[in-house]
Amino acid sequence: MTKDSYHVVPAPNGGWSVKKGGAVRASKHFDNKADAEKWAKEAVRSQGAEIYVHRRDGTVEQKSGPTRDPRPSRGKHTSQP
Amino acid sequence: MPPSVSGDFDKNVFINCPFDPEYTSLLRPLLFTILYVGMIPKIGLERSDSGETRINKICEMMRDSRYSIHDLSRLQSRRRNEFYRMNMPFELGIEYGCRQFGPDHFRNKRCLILEKSRHDYAKALSDLAGVDIKSHQDKPEDLILAMRDWFFETVGLRNIDSRTVIWYKFTDFTSSFYNTRKNQGYSDEDIEDMSVPEYMHFIQEWLKDQRVTAQGATVRVHAQTPIISTTET
């Protein structure tokens, strides 16, 4: 994979892990998939990385991103008050 | 039975498993693990020749494979009027016969027998009582663990990665596979229903790119081991 990516995958010993693409160690471990997905989305918010959410059998359920931080850059003009 | 004609006898792993869609979730990590450790899967679905009978094809693959993996986890009928599945124990029987009655080099054949839960097989195949069988609980990561341990203990592969590493590599592969195939216009159904030869081709291409095959692992040759032992404990 050319872009940075994060993967929500079943952990071998139960629960769910979030790991970076190519890594052989998990970045973080969770008891359930929803919490893992939530953390992954927060983790990549400012990195422009892709997120792959996997099924129990390891195949890809969905891919999203790259996700950019929706907050405007400091000093940049916006129409928001 | 004539001697093996394949030069890859010591690397070939014959796969005796169900071929129904419900087993795909185990078959794909099974194929990946064999290729990942540098061995060669031999499976009835790898070629389609209408002029060749299924049993002849199976016997040819067994003849060419020192190793074999037999998954008996789908022996039991699960629905009313569903027939009992007998292909897997039948093929295990042929493999056993090869070791008992075949030429000398067949005495060194080794097999891994898999079940869903420990001792399930005893209810249907009590002749195997006392044989060490590994269970996978229908979970791909447990299947990888069972295979990985067998490759270390019985096949003699050394420098083999842990179950966790192989599992995470498999998820890296499925991500890359999904991404590449989607960019090439494959639908979800195309990906899900992909034939075994094509899927194996993509695994091999990915592993080549990653250069993660355990080609440096050494295969230890056993002089003599029990007739149908799956591990040497």
Side-chain angles (χ1 to χ4, degrees):
Chain A
M1 277 159 280
T2 51
K3 293 174 186 166
D4 282 345
S5 58
Y6 278 80
H7 302 256
V8 177
V9 297
N13 293 315
W16 289 78
S17 293
V18 178
K19 68 176 273 295
K20 282 191 81 170
V24 293
R25 285 185 186 161
S27 304
K28 203 157 175 67
H29 181 265
F30 298 87
D31 288 338
N32 63 67
K33 189 174 181 179
D35 288 345
E37 277 187 61
K38 190 177 170 189
W39 188 86
K41 283 174 185 163
E42 286 297 318
V44 306
R45 183 176 289 276
S46 61
Q47 299 178 27
E50 295 170 329
I51 300 176
Y52 292 82
V53 178
H54 293 248
R55 300 185 184 91
R56 277 291 309 132
D57 66 3
T59 57
V60 175
E61 182 177 294
Q62 66 176 75
K63 173 192 166 190
S64 60
T67 309
R68 295 281 179 195
D69 190 339
R71 290 170 295 186
S73 308
R74 186 178 292 174
K76 199 170 181 178
H77 172 77
T78 71
S79 58
Q80 297 293 318
Chain B
M1 189 178 281
S4 167
V5 292
S6 168
D8 290 320
F9 179 73
D10 287 332
K11 295 190 97 179
N12 287 343
V13 183
F14 170 70
I15 300 167
N16 172 19
C17 72
F19 294 142
D20 51 68
E22 288 171 11
Y23 192 75
T24 304
S25 62
L26 293 177
L27 178 58
R28 289 185 168 184
L30 186 152
L31 293 169
F32 180 86
T33 304
I34 294 173
L35 289 164
Y36 184 86
V37 301
M39 304 295 276
I40 304 168
K42 305 295 287 181
I43 186 166
L45 299 174
E46 70 183 34
R47 64 174 192 255
S48 177
D49 177 2
S50 302
E52 187 178 31
T53 62
R54 181 179 159 82
I55 189 66
N56 283 347
K57 189 162 61 173
I58 286 167
C59 287
E60 186 188 317
M61 286 187 293
M62 282 185 182
R63 196 162 54 232
D64 285 344
S65 306
R66 179 173 177 194
Y67 302 103
S68 56
I69 295 175
H70 307 261
D71 192 338
L72 306 182
S73 64
R74 299 297 197 276
L75 293 185
Q76 196 172 9
S77 52
R78 293 180 175 183
R79 289 179 288 274
R80 184 187 290 266
N81 295 327
E82 185 182 12
F83 280 99
Y84 186 76
R85 311 280 289 276
M86 290 190 282
N87 281 338
M88 278 80 73
F90 176 65
E91 292 170 27
L92 173 60
I94 297 175
E95 182 70 25
Y96 181 77
C98 287
R99 286 173 65 165
Q100 284 283 28
F101 310 117
D104 284 349
H105 71 286
F106 278 9
R107 315 279 169 180
N108 286 327
K109 274 175 161 280
R110 294 291 174 268
C111 67
L112 167 65
I113 303 175
L114 295 165
E115 247 298 5
K116 182 181 174 187
S117 306
R118 258 182 117 71
H119 308 306
D120 268 4
Y121 71 95
K123 296 163 192 159
L125 207 55
S126 57
D127 282 355
L128 291 179
V131 170
D132 190 4
I133 289 180
K134 291 186 186 294
S135 59
H136 55 55
Q137 306 295 334
D138 268 350
K139 290 160 67 179
E141 59 271 38
D142 285 7
L143 171 70
I144 288 174
L145 176 64
M147 292 176 64
R148 181 255 175 229
D149 287 351
W150 179 71
F151 278 122
F152 186 92
E153 296 159 353
T154 303
V155 177
L157 294 184
R158 297 294 179 257
N159 305 319
I160 192 168
D161 282 332
S162 70
R163 178 256 301 257
T164 300
V165 170
I166 299 173
W167 171 246
Y168 283 159
K169 289 292 180 186
F170 175 65
T171 61
D172 280 342
F173 162 72
T174 61
S175 304
S176 172
F177 171 74
Y178 177 88
N179 217 21
T180 310
R181 303 289 85 79
K182 280 288 187 180
N183 288 340
Q184 290 173 341
Y186 284 63
S187 68
D188 287 340
E189 289 73 25
D190 293 333
I191 292 172
E192 204 167 304
D193 300 336
M194 184 175 288
S195 69
V196 165
E198 190 175 357
Y199 192 76
M200 277 169 46
H201 166 75
F202 287 125
I203 296 173
Q204 286 166 318
E205 290 298 303
W206 186 82
L207 288 172
K208 209 184 292 175
D209 287 346
Q210 298 287 307
R211 296 178 182 168
V212 292
T213 44
Q215 288 173 343
T218 54
V219 178
R220 181 164 48 92
V221 178
H222 299 280
Q224 190 66 45
T225 51
I227 294 296
I228 201 163
S229 165
T230 52
T231 57
E232 295 190 337
T233 52

